[in-house]
Amino acid sequence: MTVAPPKFTTLGCRLNSYESEAMKDMAQSAGLENAVIVNTCAVTAEAVRKSRQEIRRLRRENPDAKIIVTGCAAQTEPETFAAMGEVDKVVGNTEKMQPGTWQDMARPRGPDFIGETEKVQVDDIMSVTETAGHLIDGFGTRSRAYVQVQNGCDHRCTFCIIPYGRGNSRSVPAGVVVDQIKRLVDKGFNEVVLTGVDLTSWGADQPMQPKLGDLVMRILKLVPDLPRLRISSIDSIEVDENLMMAIATEPRLMPHLHLSLQHGDDLILKRMARRHLRDDAIRFCEEAKKLRPAMTFGADIIAGFPTETDAHFANSLKLVEDCDLTWLHVFPYSKREGTPAAKIPSQVNGKVIKARAAELRAAGEAKVARHLAAQLGKTHKVLMENAHMGRTEQFTEVKFDALQQEGAIVTAAITAVQGTQLLAS
């Protein structure tokens, strides 16, 4: 059998990408060989289906390797993946972040290097009370790095399975976060993205219960050489005063926020067990724009939640304009067994869900087109993701004809729009 280093396939969120990098370090340090690790996503039923599809593809391409499945889908449905003939090992979300897990799997114990352990290694995620800060050196690129500051979620939105894959909310201590960001800046990274499952709950389990804004201000003060700090998805109702102050006064905090909004109708928001109302979302966006006129927003919106009528959907569609949303992540509602929403009798017809999702996406595309057109003639600082493409501070893609240095921040004049990209000189 040909010996090969472990391969990783990551599905789903940025946090998964971060954790895959940490797992790579642990697997390589342990000496794991001839293994393919699939870090799955469980956010929708479709995500789980794609995970299974990817596993079958990887087995065809790697007939001699051991297939190890981990991630949120493995945590919430371990029996589903254990039943697949292609899978050799199922590892939970807690276990995957422990060096000992990888050492055990790498330890030779006869012809099967996985060892004499059970096929499923998944414990109760709800019993986990801490999240370690895993120090990683990067993501195979010199542009941006992601730093996990929080994991899990204490909220129980009726459509969401993720708390059962990630457990309750727990925070990485601020000192650990700052140390990791200093290390990344020393290695040449010009942008760091703070990431987590419920980012704005950071600090609630820490002494003195600091807020996300406190962490942001501390990072910017203690890591003065960090050019750009970015925040991933947040819950706007939990935003604190210091985060609003950072938006207003800290140019190194990027003017782009992705909001977990989910819907634009108050009744549907209540049935989702969300903690904000429509006017709360609008008020936050107006205030953030007032403090930082360059601010752009992305948002998650679900189409076709059970009981959603045409009038309810119209409020979601109108929210795109009312909140001035640019980058939409539209999710057609998908029934997830084990969630309260799956038991609601008034499920929306699948064709209706698909049509509403398409209408939301079209509204998002129109907003992107307007945003791109408004950039013509402006000058932007662009972080280069590769030799030809980078992103502005508002996360807009910019294409260059001339070669640029990967990871550099380039000042560029916007000359044209091409599809969903800006062109620059």
Side-chain angles (χ1 to χ4, degrees):
M1 184 172 67
T2 303
V3 174
K7 300 176 184 177
F8 280 78
T9 294
T10 304
L11 299 102
C13 64
R14 289 172 177 169
L15 184 54
N16 253 14
S17 298
Y18 172 90
E19 289 173 340
S20 285
E21 291 302 314
M23 283 190 285
K24 283 179 188 176
D25 286 347
M26 288 185 282
Q28 289 169 0
S29 296
L32 185 62
E33 298 173 336
N34 280 326
V36 176
I37 297 90
V38 186
N39 201 5
T40 62
C41 176
V43 69
T44 64
E46 176 65 11
V48 178
R49 187 193 69 80
K50 286 182 177 178
S51 295
R52 293 197 301 267
Q53 184 182 51
E54 183 70 7
I55 289 165
R56 287 190 286 267
R57 182 187 70 81
L58 289 167
R59 168 54 72 210
R60 291 193 298 271
E61 294 181 359
N62 302 272
D64 298 325
K66 297 293 181 181
I67 303 289
I68 301 166
V69 180
T70 188
C72 288
Q75 180 71 43
T76 58
E77 301 182 32
E79 65 287 343
T80 296
F81 295 95
M84 295 180 68
E86 296 87 353
V87 175
D88 295 284
K89 183 84 171 176
V90 182
V91 176
N93 263 339
T94 299
E95 293 75 15
K96 74 179 185 183
M97 303 305 288
Q98 296 171 350
T101 299
W102 302 96
Q103 291 163 7
D104 285 345
M105 289 191 291
R107 188 175 295 124
R109 299 178 186 175
D112 185 351
F113 80 87
I114 287 292
E116 299 158 0
T117 58
E118 294 182 1
K119 186 173 185 178
V120 177
Q121 190 177 352
V122 179
D123 288 337
D124 178 14
I125 194 77
M126 294 301 177
S127 66
V128 181
T129 58
E130 294 183 354
T131 285
H134 293 272
L135 295 178
I136 58 174
D137 291 333
F139 293 80
T141 172
R142 304 312 304 167
S143 53
R144 69 177 53 83
Y146 298 91
V147 173
Q148 177 188 2
V149 304
Q150 183 273 341
N151 205 341
C153 184
D154 289 338
H155 311 300
R156 297 296 182 263
C157 299
T158 59
F159 56 83
C160 187
I161 198 76
I162 296 304
Y164 306 98
R166 289 287 179 178
N168 293 316
S169 180
R170 56 248 189 233
S171 310
V172 177
V176 176
V177 174
V178 169
D179 285 347
Q180 180 162 5
I181 292 174
K182 285 180 177 178
R183 174 173 170 171
L184 291 166
V185 170
D186 287 345
K187 289 183 174 293
F189 286 93
N190 282 323
E191 182 175 301
V192 166
V193 184
L194 303 184
T195 188
V197 175
D198 181 28
L199 199 59
T200 34
S201 71
W202 180 87
D205 58 334
Q206 298 287 299
M208 306 300 291
Q209 297 186 324
K211 302 290 187 181
L212 180 63
D214 301 324
L215 177 64
V216 167
M217 297 293 271
R218 183 169 179 174
I219 292 167
L220 292 170
K221 178 181 179 180
L222 296 180
V223 196
D225 294 335
L226 173 66
R228 291 162 69 137
L229 180 66
R230 196 178 291 278
I231 299 174
S232 62
S233 182
I234 62 169
D235 201 335
S236 59
I237 198 69
E238 289 186 317
V239 170
D240 60 281
E241 289 184 8
N242 266 351
L243 186 54
M244 297 305 287
M245 183 184 297
I247 289 170
T249 63
E250 293 287 355
R252 290 185 292 147
L253 179 63
M254 295 296 94
H256 167 249
L257 295 173
H258 189 84
L259 309 176
S260 178
L261 298 182
Q262 309 306 344
H263 212 276
D265 184 87
D266 285 349
L267 181 59
I268 298 297
L269 287 168
K270 287 180 180 178
R271 288 172 177 167
M272 288 178 164
R274 300 293 295 165
R275 286 158 296 125
H276 72 275
L277 298 174
R278 174 192 181 83
D279 285 349
D280 296 323
I282 295 170
R283 192 180 306 114
F284 170 79
C285 291
E286 288 176 346
E287 180 65 17
K289 275 271 191 182
K290 188 185 300 181
L291 295 174
R292 193 83 173 271
M295 183 67 72
T296 60
F297 302 108
D300 296 330
I301 299 183
I302 295 173
F305 185 82
T307 76
E308 183 188 75
T309 64
D310 288 343
H312 296 148
F313 173 70
N315 279 333
S316 268
L317 197 61
K318 191 169 182 292
L319 194 69
V320 177
E321 290 295 336
D322 290 345
C323 284
D324 195 19
L325 306 176
T326 301
W327 317 107
L328 293 191
H329 287 182
V330 177
F331 294 88
Y333 174 76
S334 122
K335 190 174 180 180
R336 296 293 281 117
E337 294 302 327
T339 63
K343 299 176 182 177
I344 298 176
S346 301
Q347 301 284 323
V348 179
N349 179 274
K351 290 183 179 178
V352 174
I353 293 176
K354 187 175 180 180
R356 289 176 180 171
E359 196 169 350
L360 273 171
R361 289 191 182 105
E365 289 166 4
K367 289 287 289 183
V368 169
R370 292 214 297 272
H371 169 73
L372 295 174
Q375 308 313 308
L376 289 172
K378 292 184 177 180
T379 298
H380 281 285
K381 292 181 179 179
V382 180
L383 176 70
M384 299 305 301
E385 294 187 359
N386 56 53
H388 287 288
M389 193 278 286
R391 291 185 187 267
T392 69
E393 293 172 317
Q394 291 119 329
F395 213 60
T396 311
E397 287 190 9
V398 183
K399 185 178 179 181
F400 291 75
D401 287 333
L403 292 175
Q404 307 294 327
Q405 181 184 346
E406 181 182 318
I409 296 176
V410 177
T411 301
I414 305 304
T415 58
V417 175
Q418 184 180 74
T420 59
Q421 291 181 319
L422 299 171
L423 300 184
S425 60

